[in-house]
């Protein structure tokens, strides 16, 4: 009997160790060679400025990298991926076996009042999952991982778009402020010339008043733009968690000759995270339905062990099996729920595809219209207004036109320059919307490698 009990104990130990040790690479090295994003979550800890930021000027690429490395929402979606990967690993693990023991026929009356005729048994039972539940569970969990990865990529794209828009705000205001400063210097020179001509009697004192009005207006415009520029710098710095901007300017040059085509954008749209996420939702819904159908198949439980008879000092082995009878619960409600969810996912995919196409058409039309206006203005209106201003300035110095003509030409040139910047701003905004819609800038890795800076 002692040898039999020892045999059972060794068998239990072997089985237990076997199940505790991973026996396949189902989940792979999910948690290997990966580290969480370096995100400052405590507002009391200031974000240190890097060399690029503290040098005075930053680029768009630097701003995007800094935001992606430090954005809390990206850390959240990154950990969602890790959570879903844990589900894949768990879904591929078999149920644990159970060790059980029983003592029978003792403590009663008559011959059973003592332990002389007692019997005892010890054994192991194991639940056996049927219907491919493990494989289907892993398939559903992997689909959830795919959704989490696409949502992470979509979040990266959204963060990039926000940073690009904020960077564009700073850039346009910086350009506008620079031009207004030059304009102010020019108006000050013009004002000095008008003042000298009034003193010698070459022009009326009213011209000096008009010039003074232009000068004050220009100074007010410079101050207002400077305040907007400072505010936009703070907004941009918030993108990577900084409380104040350590940079003083941005460095960038926007290329307005974009190589977009409508057909090419449609192809890119179908490869972007937003499109793929709709498809992946359907894939997961179908996997959930398959798993729900497998749940209607009852699982069996097998058991075996050794039984000892105290009265005769003999022992015998036993085997057993139990099967639930699916008379009432065949997972009818679960299957109905999964079918409805699958149909919902299909309709949401169709509606989502339609919405993405409509949004692309809308943004594309805006982009084409703005690009045509920008190119026409840049090629025709802007040079003409600049040439007119330079010609009238020469004519004014020669005494051929009055100060009203000079101020009018100057005002036209300033307005033309502002319109040019407005069109550039609108064109870039449309480009950013297109990039966000088609998913340009998404990481190619399912689990991006975050910087430790």
């Amino acid at each position: 009997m002692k040898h039999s009990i020892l045999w059972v104990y060794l068998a239990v130990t072997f089985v237990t160790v076997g199940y505790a040790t991973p026996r396949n690479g189902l989940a792979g090295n999910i948690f290997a060679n990966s580290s969480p994003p370096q995100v400052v979550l405590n507002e009391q800890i200031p974000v240190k400025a890097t060399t690029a930021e503290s040098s005075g000027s930053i680029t768009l690429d630097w701003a995007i990298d800094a935001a992606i490395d430090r954005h809390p929402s990206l850390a959240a979606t990154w950990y969602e991926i890790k959570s879903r990967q844990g589900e894949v690993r768990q879904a591929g693990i078999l149920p644990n076996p159970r060790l059980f023991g029983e003592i029978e026929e003792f403590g009663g009356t008559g011959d059973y009042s003592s332990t002389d005729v007692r019997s005892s048994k010890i054994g192991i039972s194991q639940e056996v999952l049927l219907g491919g539940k493990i494989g289907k569970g892993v398939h559903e969990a992997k689909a959830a991982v795919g959704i989490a990865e696409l949502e992470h990529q979509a979040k990266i794209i959204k963060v990039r778009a926000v940073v690009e828009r904020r960077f564009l705000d700073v850039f346009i205001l910086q350009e506008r402020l620079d031009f207004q400063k030059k304009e102010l210097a020019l108006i000050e020179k013009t004002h000095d010339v008008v003042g000298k001509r009034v003193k010698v009697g070459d022009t009326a004192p009213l011209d000096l008043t008009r010039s003074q009005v232009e000068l004050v207006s220009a100074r007010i415009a410079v101050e207002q733009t400077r305040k907007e520029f400072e505010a936009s710098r703070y907004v941009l710095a918030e993108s990577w968690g900084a409380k104040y901007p350590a940079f003083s300017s941005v460095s960038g040059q926007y290329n307005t000759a974009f190589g977009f085509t409508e057909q090419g954008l449609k192809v890119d749209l179908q490869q972007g995270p937003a499109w793929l996420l709709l498809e992946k939702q359907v894939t997961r819904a179908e996997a959930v339905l398959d798993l729900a159908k497998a749940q209607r198949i009852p699982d069996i439980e097998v058991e075996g062990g050794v039984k000892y008879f105290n009265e005769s000092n003999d022992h015998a082995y036993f085997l057993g099996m139990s099967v639930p009878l699916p008379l009432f619960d065949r997972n009818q409600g679960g299957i109905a729920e999964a079918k409805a969810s699958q149909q919902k996912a299909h309709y949401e995919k169709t509606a989502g595809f339609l919405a993405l196409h409509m949004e692309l058409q809308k943004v594309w039309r805006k982009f084409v219209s703005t690009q045509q206006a920008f190119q026409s203005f840049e090629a025709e209106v802007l040079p003409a207004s600049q040439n007119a201003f330079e010609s009238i300035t020469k004519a004014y110095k020669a005494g051929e036109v009055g100060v009203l003509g000079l101020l009018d030409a100057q005002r036209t040139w300033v307005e033309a320059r502002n319109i040019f910047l407005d069109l550039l701003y609108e064109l870039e905004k449309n480009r950013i919307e297109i990039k966000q819609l088609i998913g340009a800038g998404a990481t190619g890795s399912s689990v991006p490698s975050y910087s430790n800076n």
Side-chain angles (χ1 to χ4, degrees), residues 35-41 67-85 144-145 147-156 159 446-448 450:
S35 59
Q38 304 301 309
V39 180
V40 177
L41 299 178
I68 290 177
D69 283 345
R70 307 173 188 176
H71 207 284
S73 66
L74 290 177
T77 55
W78 186 85
Y79 277 109
E80 178 66 16
I81 295 175
K82 308 306 292 181
S83 173
R84 297 300 182 180
Q85 288 175 334
V145 172
I147 290 174
E149 291 173 348
L150 289 171
E151 288 176 342
H152 182 75
Q153 292 183 13
K155 180 64 70 173
I156 289 177
V159 170
S446 60
V447 182
Y450 285 88

Side-chain angles (χ1 to χ4, degrees), residues 377 380-390 409 412-414 416-417:
F377 195 90
E380 301 174 10
V381 179
L382 195 63
S385 60
Q386 182 177 3
N387 292 335
F389 172 69
E390 293 174 353
T412 301
W413 161 235
V414 171
R417 180 66 181 177

Side-chain angles (χ1 to χ4, degrees), residues 70 87 95 98 152 235 244 272 280 296 313 348 355 360:
R70 307 173 188 176
E87 291 183 4
R98 291 189 302 163
H152 182 75
V235 173
Y244 60 88
K280 186 62 73 173
R296 65 187 176 184
N313 201 29
E348 286 181 341
L360 180 61

Side-chain angles (χ1 to χ4, degrees), residues 100 124-128 300-304 320-322:
F100 66 90
I124 297 175
S125 65
Q126 173 67 57
E127 184 181 15
V128 180
I300 64 173
E301 185 172 356
V302 295
E303 63 180 21
M321 181 179 69
S322 61

